[in-house]
Amino acid sequence: MMARFSFTVSVLAVLASVGHAWLPSVDDHHAGARKLVDRNGFSLFNDTTFGHEKRWLPASGKIRGVNLGSLFVYEPWIASNTWTNTMQCTGSGYNSEFDCMTKLGAGTGDATFQKHWNTWVTAADFDEMISYGLNTVRIPLGYWMDEGIVYWDSEHFPRGGADVLRTVCGWASDRGMYIILDMHGAPGAQVAQNSFTGQFASSPGFYQDYQFNRATSFLSWLRRFVHDNNEMRNVGMIEVVNEPLQNQGSQTQYMRQTYYPAAYNAIRSTEQSLGITPNNYVHVQFMNTYWGSGNPQQYLSNNYFAAYDDHRYLKWSPDASDVSHAGYLRVSCHDNRSGPDSPTIVGEFSLSVPDNVQWNSDWAPSNNVAFYKQWFAAQVMSYETYAMGWVFWTWKSELGDYRWSYRDAVAAGVIPRDLNSIASSGACNGY
Ligand SMILES: *[C@@H]1O[C@H](CO)[C@@H](O)[C@H](O)[C@H]1NC(C)=O
Ligand SMILES: *[C@@H]1O[C@H](CO)[C@@H](O)[C@H](O)[C@H]1NC(C)=O
């Protein structure tokens, strides 16, 4: 890969500046906007192709990324071996970071999570991502990374994550990758009984003013942290909350009406107080209308540099009622996820299929490599054609199932090492 890097001393000078903020291929175009370049001055988002729709050329300007799942928000189902055997979060009722910290106590717990952070993703992972042509990481975060807003007497979370986030983002920035930070775990938990919130809450406690206020404090803190640390310079997007309730009831209505504008304003007012100019604002990202919480734009008075997140799991979608290989390809080959919200990134998707069929001979990963390869190609072709690109869930797992692990899928020959080969794969011929 090093041979692809073209050295120019003048471009290196650009690296000295801090605080990037734009969607690659869009704002690179604005006069005065900064370039997304790695430490060798190579731009993964090559703006010379923008406007020509050459989406399958190298450096096409489309997001091709992976989520760093289970790093800062541990999801035991993704890495149950480490959870049980290394971290000793074993036993019934230890379903989340909160539960694990309750069991281990602050001292042992902090050291245990520190060890996890230092081993789950390393600089070598980023080299591997670059070698596969990936240009983006999305990093799920919990609000507790801002230690000033945690109620330490009643909320049990590991301390010290921000320093590790800085290091991890430095690895991504050095390699010219675009970084999306997402508030994955919201104060009070945005959904019940799901470890992705960091806690296994019996009910979703997020939808009230004091929790919204803590969340906006977190976003202001995060925006300042991005500005203050050179390692964070390739952060271009901050998502205000991951996967809130999927209904249009009073709680989600109140969230869209109250929290969404407040979250947008918190990030913008932080930027203004830091003297950041509009060219260097981050994108503020919301789950899109398709997610099911309602129209994210309805109550925004300003959507300058707003962006939208689509999570596309056919596994759970009524759009894929024909659970067959052909049925899946028919949906994915024409899957326009842009909808009413633009720009949209497909920020999560996988190769997993419904629980009740996933180990049948028709769907088991070991006997269906050709299908999964074709389906991956179909998905990313649509997500690049209709949307701004894609971010796979997730980079690695301990499941032994490549349908949830990008690197395992590459190893299995399901995801090509050369993503540009997909355009001519014919994966959607006849669909
Ligand atoms: C962008 O792509 C063009 C054409 O492929 C190439 O000549 C140029 O060096 C690339 N620029 C960067 C910054 O990578
Ligand atoms: C995708 O859907 C959006 C919204 O319905 C529409 O505006 C857009 O033209 C569609 N894209 C294509 C390429 O058909």
Side-chain angles (χ1 to χ4, degrees), residues 55 290 335-341 385-387:
R55 288 171 176 153
Y290 287 165
D335 210 7
N336 181 354
R337 302 304 295 171
S338 277
D341 307 306
T385 301
Y386 300 107

Side-chain angles (χ1 to χ4, degrees), residues 41-43 46 48:
F42 181 83
S43 171
N46 190 331
T48 63

Side-chain angles (χ1 to χ4, degrees), residues 68 71-72 121 126 139 163-173:
L68 302 187
L71 179 61
F72 296 113
V121 174
F126 284 88
I139 310 181
D163 287 341
V164 184
L165 175 66
R166 183 196 291 118
T167 301
V168 169
C169 287
W171 293 329
S173 295

